Amino acid sequence: MLEIFARAGAQGVELFAAKQHLDYANRVAIRELADWFRSNPLEPFSMHAPLYPDSEMGRAGAPAVNLIHPDKSRRIDAMDEIKRALEAAELIPFRFMVIHLGERDDQWSPRSLEHSLTALEHLKAFAGPLGVKLLIENLQNEVTRPQNILEILHVGHFDSIGVCLDVGHANLTGGTASALAELKPYIRSAHLHDNHGERDEHLWPGEGTIAWEETMKELKTAPQTPAGVLEIHYSLGDSPEEVTTKMSKAFSLLD
């Protein structure tokens, strides 16, 4: 798959730390992947932090990786799991780790702010020597609304921590334009996908209701032009011709 991405013209890739996809705790697998990147021009630009510690995305009952869970032991377990993924940077030189703060229904409160500050301070100290910077992703919860992300960054004096703007999530939680207006100085990466404003569909750009011309214009004027990472839901029934057509239409909007 990486070779296909490289031949298609992708400049970089975001690795997803999901054990059924990339077993970040398996040093042999990480070493093999590192060898591939050293021999190819495709950049390991970023890694998405694990969402579950198991290889079944929680379907067997494993709890989610939640850095701001009310239970302290859960918060510690979450930080430890993300550190295991960060250790892959010893061999694979990705620049950023994309972090989720909480789950979908987590609310904003003084306690969630406190837990966010503690987790980010701890992970920042661990990631720094590995050459990795943290990015907070805007989710569909209250904790990662743009104004709350800004408060976390300002209260924690986290000058080295940035934002991964998920355009699809922004469309579901107040609008892409307002999220860009508030977060633009901090955006280092952007997850690009579309939806109809009702659920997180991960459609190709142009298949939903996001105003892509305005969105891309604003992203391109960010102080540090962010990478654009396609996060598209796929259907195994799509033919290569259908995927190519959808891709061409999407790229014309993102150019």
Side-chain angles (χ1 to χ4, degrees):
M1 289 179 68
L2 290 172
E3 289 170 356
I4 291 171
F5 297 156
R7 289 199 300 270
Q11 295 173 296
V13 64
E14 179 170 289
L15 303 170
F16 182 22
K19 286 182 178 175
Q20 75 276 20
H21 167 66
L22 170 62
D23 188 354
Y24 48 87
N26 184 332
R27 298 295 284 183
V28 174
I30 294 300
R31 191 172 291 108
E32 289 176 355
L33 189 57
D35 289 343
W36 186 90
F37 277 115
R38 278 193 291 270
S39 303
N40 290 274
L42 191 69
E43 179 187 352
F45 179 76
S46 54
M47 177 179 280
H48 196 296
L51 303 182
Y52 290 90
D54 65 351
S55 59
E56 300 180 27
M57 290 296 281
R59 286 186 288 271
V65 174
N66 189 342
L67 291 167
I68 63 170
H69 196 276
D71 186 333
K72 184 177 181 179
S73 65
R74 285 280 304 276
R75 298 197 302 274
I76 292 172
D77 288 345
M79 282 189 276
D80 287 346
E81 196 64 35
I82 292 175
K83 286 192 290 184
R84 291 186 190 98
L86 276 165
E87 286 175 342
E90 293 175 348
L91 299 173
I92 302 173
F94 52 89
R95 304 188 205 181
F96 299 110
M97 170 70 83
V98 178
I99 299 289
H100 280 198
L101 291 177
E103 299 176 66
R104 180 167 180 169
D105 295 326
D106 282 326
Q107 305 296 305
W108 179 246
S109 68
R111 185 62 57 86
S112 61
L113 171 61
E114 177 187 348
H115 294 334
S116 296
L117 295 172
T118 300
L120 291 171
E121 185 64 47
H122 185 86
L123 292 172
K124 180 171 72 75
F126 189 87
L130 295 168
V132 178
K133 293 184 177 181
L134 306 181
L135 302 181
I136 303 171
E137 179 179 346
N138 58 304
L139 309 175
Q140 295 180 67
N141 62 19
E142 282 190 4
V143 179
T144 56
R145 293 290 192 269
Q147 65 272 22
N148 296 334
I149 290 178
L150 292 178
E151 183 167 354
I152 291 168
L153 294 176
H154 294 160
V155 172
H157 302 286
F158 293 138
D159 296 334
S160 66
I161 296 179
V163 169
C164 173
L165 178 71
D166 189 297
V167 174
H169 295 167
N171 195 48
L172 297 170
T173 55
T176 302
S178 61
L180 273 163
E182 293 188 75
L183 296 174
K184 188 160 66 170
Y186 305 92
I187 299 172
R188 304 292 179 266
S189 184
H191 288 169
L192 305 178
H193 54 97
D194 213 334
N195 59 61
H196 292 91
E198 297 175 356
R199 60 188 181 90
D200 198 16
E201 298 171 272
H202 285 263
L203 304 174
W204 285 96
E207 293 186 343
T209 59
I210 293 173
W212 285 100
E213 183 177 351
E214 294 84 350
T215 297
M216 295 308 297
K217 181 180 178 180
E218 287 300 307
L219 278 173
K220 290 175 181 178
T221 59
Q224 296 191 42
T225 304
V229 180
L230 285 167
E231 270 200 343
I232 309 302
H233 174 77
Y234 69 94
S235 169
L236 294 176
D238 285 346
S239 69
E241 292 77 18
E242 288 173 321
V243 173
T244 300
T245 299
K246 292 178 180 180
M247 188 184 302
S248 296
K249 289 181 179 179
F251 285 176
S252 68
L253 293 174
L254 304 178
D255 188 9

